[in-house]
Amino acid sequence: MSALLEVRGLTTHFDTRGGVLKAVEDVSFEVGEGEIVGLVGESGSGKSVTGFSILGLVDAPGRIVSGSVRFAGRELVGLGHGALRSMRGREMAMVFQDPSATLNPVLTVGQQMRLAIAAHERVGEAAATARCVEALTIVGIPDAARRLENYPHQFSGGMRQRVAIAIALLNRPKLIICDEPTTALDVSIQAQILTEMKSLAARLGTAMIWISHDLATVSSVASRLLVMYAGRIIEAGPVASVLRSPRHPYTRGLLNSLPSMARPGQDLVQIPGSMPSLANLPEGCSFRPRCPKAQEDCKVMPALTGDGARAFRCRHPLDREVAA
Amino acid sequence: MLGFVIQRLMQAFVVMLVISALVFVGVYAVGNPIDVLISPDATQLIREQTIRAYGLDQPLWKQYLDFLGRLSRGDFGRSFVFNMPVLDLIFSRLPATIELTLAAVFGATLLGVPLGIYAGYRPESPISKAIMALSILGFSVPTFWIGLVLIFTFAVTLGWLPAGNRGDTVTIFGVQWSFLTWNGLTHLFLPALNLSLFKFAMMVRLARAGTRETMLTDTVKFARAAGESEWTILSRHVLRLIAIPIVTVFGLELGSTLAFAVVTETIFSWPGVGKLIIDSISTLDRPVMVAYLMLVAFLFIVINFTVDIAYAALDPRLRTRRAA
């Protein structure tokens, strides 16, 4: 599996009046063709900013300070606006959390889809319509030709997100960054969309970065997991392996805080404290103030180390559990 | 939709009736036109004849009912001063005001909205700051003063443009228009500029605020992620999204300028209705005042109705709600 996307040492900062927010710090990972990688972390851990950085869509006052993003062998950091724009949508696309906020309420679905096509190619009216209908049909919207004339508010929440996904698929990108695309939906619809996106990715050979704060959701779609905390990747590895035996105390804490069917009626276990401010990170390991295993040597930032597929950023990792 | 129109027509009728009563009472409560109309050395006989001729010997409620009776036959009465039907008098002056108002409001909108969008899109650029400074000037400097400065600069000192009056006109459908002759156009330019400055400032601020807000929304991010160009985003997404407040203010400004372009019309001796109403107030020409104020109310009703229709055209969400 050759790497479609290679992110190396990506660092994105926001220069604000209150100081420099280190939203993304030294993030490295790769995504293979057709692979689905899950990016988990709580709000403000830098997962969305990582997604935007890859697309070159970090809004001022944010900027990519250093690092490299290689997509299909091409370096994207430092690429001109025009070149980046023509890659967006065609080579890689993004789907956002709330479809009622992303779709333009005053344009019909067809108008918006045609704009997305016209951004990359000159296509005749009939051919454009055919492509819109095809994309809507792929994501499971019945009677697609008629629905092109509808406005976003005439769709249900789940259908609206399908429309957004269809727009992302229009130009057949090789990579789709999904920024919590199911968070705003009903639980029953969530499961549907998850399954469909997974099979869609397999069928079309589209790679995905699935960003979410919800471990359960991510682990049901992704094959590999990246856990972010305070702007850094603190643990990475195949989903099953990370879930079975997390090595970083933070990942362990996240897993412990999940409601489980095995322990009904019990209080959920919380990680004490809250994430530090990105403008004022603690010295050394960012998780140190909340970590039950923190020691004196944690005051120096540990490197991301590991063996083979597994990696973690911790000097005092949890023991590898014996596969039960 | 039809139900909506009928409902609004009935509302309009009630509003006009209430306005007629308020205006009638209000206007008849001020001053005594007899003192103005009849020379002080007229005989008692002539005084009484005149009072009876104008129906001024009747009690107020009787005068109002007579007025309503004539109104139902489309007769607004005769001007005390010009001794001609009030409607003919107003309609002989109205085209000049309509012409001036349309030039000012359309000019302000067509120039102010694009500049405002630019200022909202690039808030930090020096050009945007210059645009905003100009808009503050337009807001805070009084109209009459700018009018005088314009006359002094362009008419008196430089001698480029005429200082007042309408200039040559062309008659179309029995109505005189200035904007179709070069000479008329030069006469129209300064008063229209004077009248448009405040509206220009308002349009700039509205468009800027709307654009700044819209540029931060997910709709814009999603369009960017699809690879749409900044021009497409501004012209197809942002412009449509900020249209509603702009149309609202456009309508209000159109109405109030048609009704109250008095200051500019006086300074530039523009023979419009604004000057007519000022003259009729100083001569206590009651029928003109009443008819004029009713016309203003009617204009506002028509404009508000048109604006409501425009809302439905601009925002599909309102369309369905109304149909439901």
Side-chain angles (χ1 to χ4, degrees):
Chain A
M1 193 165 59
S2 66
L4 173 69
L5 176 77
E6 238 186 291
V7 179
R8 288 278 162 267
L10 181 68
T11 301
T12 303
H13 289 175
F14 288 79
D15 301 314
T16 66
R17 252 174 241 159
V20 178
L21 293 189
K22 299 176 175 172
V24 176
E25 195 70 28
D26 190 22
V27 163
S28 303
F29 65 94
E30 58 269 334
V31 180
E33 280 188 29
E35 190 189 15
I36 303 184
V37 173
L39 192 57
V40 241
E42 38 190 312
S43 319
S45 61
K47 45 195 201 309
S48 295
V49 179
T50 304
F52 283 121
S53 301
I54 293 170
L55 286 176
L57 277 180
V58 182
D59 282 330
R63 64 196 168 90
I64 297 178
V65 179
S66 61
S68 123
V69 176
R70 289 187 81 80
F71 182 85
R74 191 173 178 197
E75 178 60 53
L76 301 190
V77 174
L79 208 59
H81 287 295
L84 267 174
R85 184 194 69 71
S86 75
M87 285 199 79
R88 285 198 290 266
R90 193 169 52 183
E91 305 279 340
M92 42 192 188
M94 189 153 177
V95 178
F96 294 72
Q97 181 173 345
D98 184 2
S100 53
T102 49
L103 297 176
N104 189 332
V106 299
L107 299 179
T108 65
V109 161
Q111 285 171 327
Q112 300 187 49
M113 296 185 86
R114 285 190 196 102
L115 284 178
I117 295 177
H120 300 287
E121 295 169 60
R122 294 193 93 127
V123 182
E125 187 72 15
T129 306
R131 253 166 80 181
C132 297
V133 170
E134 191 199 353
L136 287 182
T137 311
I138 286 180
V139 297
I141 292 179
D143 201 5
R146 197 178 53 80
R147 304 235 60 182
L148 280 180
E149 305 309 316
N150 285 160
Y151 291 92
H153 71 274
Q154 291 164 307
F155 289 82
S156 66
M159 283 297 170
R160 230 176 280 162
Q161 190 60 294
R162 282 167 209 255
V163 171
I165 294 166
I167 291 178
L169 284 174
L170 267 179
N171 297 296
R172 288 296 155 86
K174 297 195 190 82
L175 172 73
I176 299 184
I177 298 173
C178 302
D179 191 358
E180 313 224 21
T182 58
T183 312
L185 305 177
D186 289 348
V187 183
S188 56
I189 311 279
Q190 270 187 24
Q192 259 183 35
I193 299 250
L194 276 176
T195 329
E196 283 170 23
M197 294 251 348
K198 196 174 174 180
S199 72
L200 212 61
R203 192 145 49 96
L204 304 174
T206 315
M208 285 188 190
I209 298 177
W210 194 284
I211 299 173
S212 179
H213 64 271
D214 181 357
L215 258 178
T217 316
V218 176
S219 47
S220 69
V221 269
S223 57
R224 215 147 49 78
L225 214 54
L226 307 168
V227 183
M228 281 189 84
Y229 183 79
R232 289 177 192 266
I233 291 183
I234 52 106
E235 180 146 19
V239 169
S241 159
V242 172
L243 292 185
R244 198 182 317 115
S245 66
R247 305 298 299 276
H248 197 287
Y250 175 67
T251 317
R252 171 85 269 164
L254 270 189
L255 285 169
N256 281 346
S257 63
L258 284 180
S260 157
M261 295 302 284
R263 294 176 279 123
Q266 276 187 27
D267 284 351
L268 297 179
V269 185
Q270 295 181 11
I271 306 175
S274 57
M275 209 173 68
S277 151
L278 292 173
N280 189 18
L281 290 172
E283 195 188 343
C285 174
S286 319
F287 190 58
R288 184 170 52 85
R290 302 170 75 183
C291 185
K293 303 189 70 170
Q295 290 174 32
E296 201 50 34
D297 58 352
C298 295
K299 283 193 176 164
V300 177
M301 174 64 76
L304 194 64
T305 52
D307 41 56
R310 290 295 301 269
F312 44 87
R313 194 187 281 282
C314 187
R315 282 217 173 72
H316 310 283
L318 301 160
D319 293 335
R320 172 174 281 182
E321 282 171 31
V322 186
Chain B
M1 194 63 203
L2 188 68
F4 169 70
V5 173
I6 292 172
Q7 189 193 343
R8 290 299 291 263
L9 281 176
M10 283 163 61
Q11 273 178 15
F13 181 76
V14 174
V15 168
M16 288 306 293
L17 199 66
V18 173
I19 292 280
S20 75
L22 285 176
V23 164
F24 201 85
V25 172
V27 165
Y28 277 68
V30 221
N32 186 359
I34 297 302
D35 301 338
V36 185
L37 286 172
I38 308 171
S39 75
D41 45 306
T43 64
Q44 189 61 22
L45 191 65
I46 293 180
R47 276 186 80 87
E48 271 164 19
Q49 273 177 352
T50 316
I51 290 174
R52 208 166 310 127
Y54 287 113
L56 295 171
D57 54 340
Q58 306 284 337
L60 188 58
W61 61 270
K62 185 77 172 38
Q63 288 187 37
Y64 178 60
L65 287 185
D66 287 346
F67 168 73
L68 280 188
R70 275 180 270 124
L71 201 59
S72 64
R73 296 189 301 273
D75 179 10
F76 274 86
R78 299 177 75 84
S79 159
F80 291 168
V81 177
F82 294 91
N83 198 21
M84 63 188 283
V86 166
L87 272 193
D88 292 355
L89 184 64
I90 289 180
F91 281 122
S92 73
R93 299 290 199 94
L94 200 55
T97 297
I98 290 181
E99 187 173 47
L100 180 63
T101 303
L102 289 183
V105 176
F106 272 100
T109 310
L110 294 180
L111 206 64
V113 170
L115 288 182
I117 291 180
Y118 180 82
Y121 178 66
R122 287 266 154 81
E124 298 302 327
S125 95
I127 298 177
S128 304
K129 291 193 171 140
I131 294 170
M132 292 322 288
L134 192 67
S135 88
I136 289 174
L137 214 67
F139 255 126
S140 41
V141 182
T143 309
F144 74 90
W145 188 79
I146 294 193
L148 293 176
V149 168
L150 286 176
I151 290 178
F152 185 76
T153 316
F154 293 102
V156 179
T157 311
L158 294 171
W160 292 351
L161 292 163
N165 286 318
R166 276 188 89 180
D168 301 342
T169 54
V170 175
T171 306
I172 295 174
F173 302 123
V175 178
Q176 295 187 323
W177 301 102
S178 293
F179 74 99
L180 291 170
T181 67
W182 175 248
N183 178 273
L185 217 51
T186 58
H187 280 82
L188 181 62
F189 186 77
L190 279 188
L193 177 69
N194 183 211
L195 206 51
S196 70
L197 269 177
F198 182 84
K199 295 159 223 317
F200 167 79
M202 190 130 71
M203 286 297 175
V204 164
R205 302 214 141 228
L206 263 182
R208 173 176 179 268
T211 304
R212 284 197 80 166
E213 202 176 302
T214 311
M215 288 313 289
L216 298 175
T217 59
D218 280 356
T219 304
V220 167
K221 282 202 187 105
F222 188 60
R224 278 186 176 147
E228 289 170 29
S229 68
E230 297 295 289
W231 170 251
T232 307
I233 288 171
L234 287 177
S235 62
R236 302 295 303 272
H237 290 288
V238 174
L239 186 61
R240 284 296 307 270
L241 287 167
I242 64 172
I244 288 221
I246 289 177
V247 167
T248 310
V249 170
F250 180 88
L252 287 175
E253 281 303 307
L254 198 62
S256 63
T257 315
L258 275 175
F260 311 111
V262 180
V263 173
T264 301
E265 286 186 2
T266 310
I267 291 175
F268 288 91
S269 330
W270 190 261
V273 277
K275 242 177 95 47
L276 177 68
I277 184 67
I278 288 295
D279 292 346
S280 67
I281 289 172
S282 58
T283 55
L284 287 175
D285 199 345
R286 286 173 177 174
V288 178
M289 284 193 270
V290 171
Y292 176 76
L293 290 173
M294 288 190 66
L295 177 77
V296 167
F298 179 71
L299 275 176
F300 267 98
I301 288 174
V302 171
I303 287 171
N304 280 343
F305 180 72
T306 318
V307 165
D308 277 350
I309 300 281
Y311 282 171
L314 287 170
D315 194 334
R317 287 165 295 187
L318 297 174
R319 235 173 289 164
T320 22
R321 211 172 301 152
R322 203 165 276 157

